């Protein structure tokens, strides 16, 4: 049985390196046109070209998202964008809109994946897109593994599903809440997660009697279901989160890589331990979403994001026991830290003395600056700060 591909978000070129280093087989990233997540660091054409060259060199895959539901005014720029894509030749374009699909089919030779935004939930709908020339269907997040198995048996198409990350309280983005609350169109990259707000429930006198995040979807975590997912013939497992940081990527991908590698060798993965590790980075409580028959995924008792560790910095260079760190947060020597290395392991330690670019010892790391530490860990490692010990 084929091992599913591990597919990671890459908000920018830097996170693309992190994703590949920590075990992704493929990444998806967005250009500056036609993509959802308008407020992510979407890539320029030159960056997409570079990213594709990096993927080729590493023997990995790269998919470019073009998954808005387009209005007429979006379409004028489409032929030029598609011509650029044809020239760059990523491994696939991810498309939701039938008009964009038809244009891409006509104008490019690139394989086309149907985005989850197209809300494909059944075999007839899948067959429709197969007949149009789609080579993969990214199913709606509302489909269970059992439904995926039936769909694969019926159509034989490459199926991709979401396995980890944020869920949407609507049918995969078919939502206008952000349009109402902020004038931002979710289907053109403007979602501001308005569904996660507290909503007031009024009595007949229009007095608010309760405040509750009544549409607050839990985050998805499907790691314990990987054997069933493989059995169902699913080709690709997508981790959500193009706007999330290197720590989220390193931590999430390490866990799923370990679980998939164990599946490949028929060993049993330490799932409980991996689930605990997945809980350490910021999340809105984790659950299996719709992967099992009935979702229990709305958490109306939500009291805020949970996290045990926070992104502190990334190792830019490592030589002879000294590392160069790009700081993303402030920390002081002696702080409890966790170091995640690209071999998928982590270890806990304390932050040693920090020197700056001038060789001076500093009392605290400054976000977006460079520091030197006496540590022997590889380039690309990610450093996090423990939050629990800080508040203890
Ligand atoms: S506001 Fe919520 S329900 Fe609407 S698209 Fe965004 S995440 Fe989905």
């Amino acid at each position: 049985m084929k091992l599913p591909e591990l597919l990671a978000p890459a908000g920018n070129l830097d996170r693309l390196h992190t994703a590949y280093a920590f075990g992704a087989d493929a990444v998806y990233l967005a250009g500056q046109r036609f993509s959802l997540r308008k407020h992510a660091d979407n890539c320029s054409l030159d960056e997409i070209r570079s990213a594709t060259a990096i993927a080729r060199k590493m023997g990995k895959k790269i998919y470019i998202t073009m998954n808005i539901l387009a209005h007429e005014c979006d379409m004028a720029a489409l032929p030029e964008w598609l011509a650029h894509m044809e020239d760059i030749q990523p491994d696939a374009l991810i498309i939701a809109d039938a008009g964009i699909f038809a244009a891409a089919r006509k104008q490019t030779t690139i394989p086309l994946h149907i985005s989850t935004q197209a809300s494909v939930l059944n075999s007839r709908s899948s067959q429709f897109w197969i007949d149009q020339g789609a080579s993969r269907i990214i199913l709606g997040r509302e489909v269970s593994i059992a439904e995926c198995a039936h769909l694969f048996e019926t159509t034989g198409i490459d199926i991709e599903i979401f396995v980890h990350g944020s869920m949407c309280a609507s049918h995969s983005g078919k939502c206008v809440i952000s349009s109402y609350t902020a004038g931002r169109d979710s289907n053109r990259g403007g979602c501001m997660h308005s569904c996660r707000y507290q909503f007031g429930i009024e009595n007949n006198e229009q007095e608010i009697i309760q405040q509750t995040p009544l549409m607050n979807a839990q985050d998805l975590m499907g790691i314990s279901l990987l054997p069933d997912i493989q059995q169902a013939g699913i080709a690709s497992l997508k981790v959500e989160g193009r706007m999330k940081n290197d720590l989220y990527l390193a931590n999430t991908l390490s866990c799923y890589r370990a679980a998939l590698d164990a599946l490949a060798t028929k060993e049993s993965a330490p799932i409980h331990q991996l689930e605990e590790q997945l809980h350490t980075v910021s999340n809105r409580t984790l659950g299996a979403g719709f992967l099992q028959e009935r979702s229990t995924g709305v958490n109306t008792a939500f009291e805020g994001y949970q996290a045990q560790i926070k992104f502190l910095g990334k190792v830019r260079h490592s030589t002879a026991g000294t590392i160069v760190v790009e700081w993303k947060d402030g920390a002081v020597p002696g702080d409890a830290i966790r170091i995640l290395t690209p071999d998928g392991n982590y270890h806990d330690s304390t932050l040693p003395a920090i020197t700056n670019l001038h060789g001076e010892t500093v009392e605290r790391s400054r976000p977006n600056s460079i520091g030197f530490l006496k540590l022997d860990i590889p380039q690309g490692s990610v450093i996090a700060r423990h939050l629990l010990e800080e508040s203890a």
Side-chain angles (χ1 to χ4, degrees), residues 98-298:
I100 294 181
F101 184 94
R105 185 68 298 146
K106 203 165 167 191
Q107 211 186 316
T108 79
T109 55
I110 304 167
L112 304 180
H113 294 179
I114 300 304
S115 166
T116 195
Q117 307 299 124
S119 288
V120 176
L121 311 178
N122 62 66
S123 54
R124 288 275 178 109
S125 179
S126 301
Q127 193 59 53
F128 169 81
W129 283 113
I130 296 164
D131 294 344
Q132 304 307 309
S135 57
R136 175 181 290 185
I137 312 284
I138 306 163
L139 293 175
R141 276 176 262 211
E142 306 77 30
V143 174
S144 69
I145 297 171
E147 289 176 301
C148 291
H150 172 73
L151 209 146
F152 177 64
E153 269 171 38
T154 314
T155 64
I157 184 79
D158 254 26
I159 293 174
E160 180 180 313
I161 60 166
F162 280 83
V163 75
H164 196 91
S166 297
M167 293 286 278
C168 180
S170 185
H171 256 270
S172 294
K174 302 262 177 320
C175 163
V176 287
I177 311 177
S178 295
S179 303
Y180 292 137
T181 58
R184 285 170 40 166
D185 182 351
S186 294
N187 290 304
R188 286 196 287 174
C191 165
M192 54 180 295
H193 299 141
S194 312
C195 58
R196 299 175 191 170
Y197 294 176
Q198 296 270 347
F199 288 85
I201 299 174
E202 292 179 350
N203 62 14
N204 289 341
E205 279 71 51
Q206 295 189 324
E207 296 160 340
I208 292 177
I209 52 171
Q210 194 187 349
Q211 293 268 12
T212 171
L214 56 87
M215 290 187 280
N216 177 58
Q218 274 188 313
D219 289 346
L220 176 65
M221 178 176 69
I223 197 164
S224 66
L225 302 170
L226 293 187
D228 296 341
I229 286 170
Q230 185 189 31
Q231 196 76 35
I234 291 161
S236 180
L237 304 179
K238 181 175 239 161
V239 171
E240 181 277 343
R242 267 193 295 127
M243 294 175 79
K244 293 188 176 151
N245 62 31
D246 290 79
L247 173 61
Y248 168 84
L249 271 182
N251 195 60
T252 309
L253 295 173
S254 297
C255 292
Y256 280 88
R257 185 73 271 156
L260 284 169
D261 289 350
L263 207 55
T265 55
K266 300 194 175 10
E267 289 166 24
S268 64
I271 291 299
H272 183 63
Q273 199 179 314
L274 294 172
E275 285 188 333
E276 279 186 358
Q277 188 181 338
L278 288 166
H279 275 91
T280 59
V281 301
S282 179
N283 67 81
R284 299 173 337 108
T285 69
L286 296 161
F290 291 91
L291 292 177
Q292 290 172 316
E293 282 305 313
R294 183 161 191 276
S295 173
T296 51
V298 169

